[in-house]
């Protein structure tokens, strides 16, 4: 059984077909890269699946259950989480507070965070353990607004990971960081995703990252899926070269 399936999923913005009758399938445990030029429909598709947008038509089925009209919180409870291209952290809270708040939200205890948080020792232990996995344990007591961009990217993924997702969307996890930081960041994320057998979808413009870390690549163009295949198949696909990389791409 496919882990996630969309059937003729459609979203219009006026006359723009952002997502146009898209059939998108992910197998359990896959790490899938979703690529395409700006405006291809990648983020709109992810927003539809994660519940930030409602489709005009079509269906979304996750682990055998239809979730097309379910609110975001229900999808999180079902096991869907995401990070964001523009890091979405509470800069005035510490690094560990950001992760702990995500755990409190997962447990439905957010209202206790600022009043009785000290009584939930297990949550703080889990938050520190997550930071250790992401190599951020030495930054635990620093304000999130005071750490480096690369560390903020890792923290954003750690916050999503704290929700215990079974399907994790990563929206440009290496954007805005230096070239030398990209591989170490992806090494950490990839190790955690694969060791915990999390199904993941990565939106990324850096093709070196895409070809190195993904099992399969799905290419979107003008709101539709243009191609899907292994990194080797996509690299040699002439239609993809012309539509995404440009006709002169080697």
């Amino acid at each position: 059984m496919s882990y996630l399936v969309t059937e003729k999923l459609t979203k219009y913005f006026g006359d723009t077909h952002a997502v146009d009758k898209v059939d998108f399938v992910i197998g359990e445990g896959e790490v899938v890269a979703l690529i395409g030029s700006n405006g291809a429909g990648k983020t709109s598709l992810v927003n539809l699946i994660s519940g930030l947008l409602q489709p005009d038509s079509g269906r979304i089925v996750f682990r055998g259950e239809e979730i097309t009209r379910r609110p975001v919180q229900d999808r999180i409870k079902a096991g869907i989480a995401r990070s964001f291209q523009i890091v979405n952290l509470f800069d005035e809270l510490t690094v560990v507070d950001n992760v702990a708040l995500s755990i409190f939200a997962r447990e439905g205890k957010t209202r206790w965070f600022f009043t009785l948080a000290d009584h939930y020792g297990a949550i703080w232990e889990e938050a520190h353990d997550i930071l250790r996995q992401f190599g951020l344990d030495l930054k635990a007591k620093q304000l999130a607004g005071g750490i480096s961009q690369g560390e903020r990217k890792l923290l954003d993924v750690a916050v999503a990971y704290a929700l215990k997702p079974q399907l994790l969307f990563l929206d440009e996890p290496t954007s805005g960081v230096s070239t030398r930081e990209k591989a170490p960041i992806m090494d950490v994320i990839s190790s955690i995703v694969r060791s915990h057998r999390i199904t993941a979808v990565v939106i990324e413009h850096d093709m070196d990252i895409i070809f190195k870390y993904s099992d399969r690549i799905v290419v979107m163009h003008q709101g539709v899926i243009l191609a899907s295949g292994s990194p080797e198949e996509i690299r040699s696909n002439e239609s993809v070269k012309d539509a995404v990389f440009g006709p002169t791409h080697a």
Side-chain angles (χ1 to χ4, degrees):
M1 179 186 296
S2 298
Y3 210 56
L4 174 83
V5 178
T6 74
E7 299 174 355
K8 300 189 182 305
L9 199 62
T10 301
K11 183 65 180 180
Y12 298 153
F13 295 106
D15 294 331
T16 301
H17 295 197
V19 177
D20 194 3
K21 299 181 178 64
V22 166
D23 296 329
F24 181 54
V25 179
I26 304 173
E28 184 174 4
E30 272 195 302
V31 176
V32 177
L34 187 59
I35 70 171
S37 56
N38 289 333
K42 308 180 300 296
T43 298
S44 293
L45 177 60
V46 171
N47 285 342
L48 289 168
I49 296 169
S50 58
L52 296 180
L53 287 176
Q54 289 296 312
D56 294 314
S57 61
R59 299 173 71 234
I60 305 168
V61 178
F62 178 55
R63 300 176 67 209
E65 293 189 15
E66 183 169 352
I67 61 168
T68 310
R69 301 295 172 184
R70 290 190 185 180
V72 172
Q73 193 60 34
D74 283 0
R75 300 186 200 208
I76 291 173
K77 290 179 181 178
I80 298 175
R82 66 172 296 177
S83 68
F84 290 86
Q85 177 182 359
I86 300 174
V87 175
N88 193 22
L89 300 172
F90 292 98
D91 287 348
E92 70 280 7
L93 297 180
T94 66
V95 168
V96 71
D97 283 346
N98 272 269
V99 176
L101 184 57
S102 185
I103 300 171
F104 272 88
R106 184 192 77 207
E107 299 295 327
K109 297 175 180 176
T110 307
R111 66 185 182 278
W112 304 117
F113 182 72
F114 292 106
T115 56
L116 299 175
D118 290 342
H119 295 276
Y120 292 93
I123 286 179
W124 294 103
E125 289 178 12
E126 182 181 349
H128 280 284
D129 179 63
I130 289 171
L131 290 180
R132 281 190 290 272
Q133 292 182 61
F134 281 85
L136 295 171
D137 45 315
L138 297 180
K139 305 288 183 176
K141 296 301 183 182
Q142 291 190 28
L143 294 180
I147 60 177
S148 72
Q149 178 65 9
E151 291 165 343
R152 286 171 62 80
K153 283 289 188 177
L154 283 173
L155 179 57
D156 191 45
V157 178
V159 167
Y161 172 75
L163 295 170
K164 290 189 175 179
Q166 298 176 60
L167 172 60
L168 178 60
F169 289 98
L170 300 167
D171 193 350
E172 300 201 31
T174 67
S175 67
V177 304
S178 66
T179 301
R180 71 175 183 275
E181 290 179 290
K182 289 188 175 188
I185 288 172
M186 283 305 302
D187 284 343
V188 171
I189 294 172
S190 178
S191 175
I192 291 170
V193 164
R194 293 190 183 280
S195 65
H196 291 85
R197 298 180 180 178
I198 299 170
T199 305
V201 177
V202 183
I203 299 176
E204 181 59 65
H205 283 97
D206 188 317
M207 290 300 105
D208 290 334
I209 294 294
I210 290 299
F211 287 124
K212 180 177 180 180
Y213 292 97
S214 58
D215 301 321
R216 181 165 60 94
I217 300 173
V218 174
V219 185
M220 290 194 71
H221 182 62
Q222 296 181 348
V224 302
I225 291 179
L226 176 66
S228 175
S230 68
E232 293 75 18
E233 290 170 334
I234 295 301
R235 194 190 296 271
S236 62
N237 187 307
E238 294 298 329
S239 296
V240 172
K241 288 181 182 180
D242 291 343
V244 179
F245 304 130
T248 61
H249 184 84

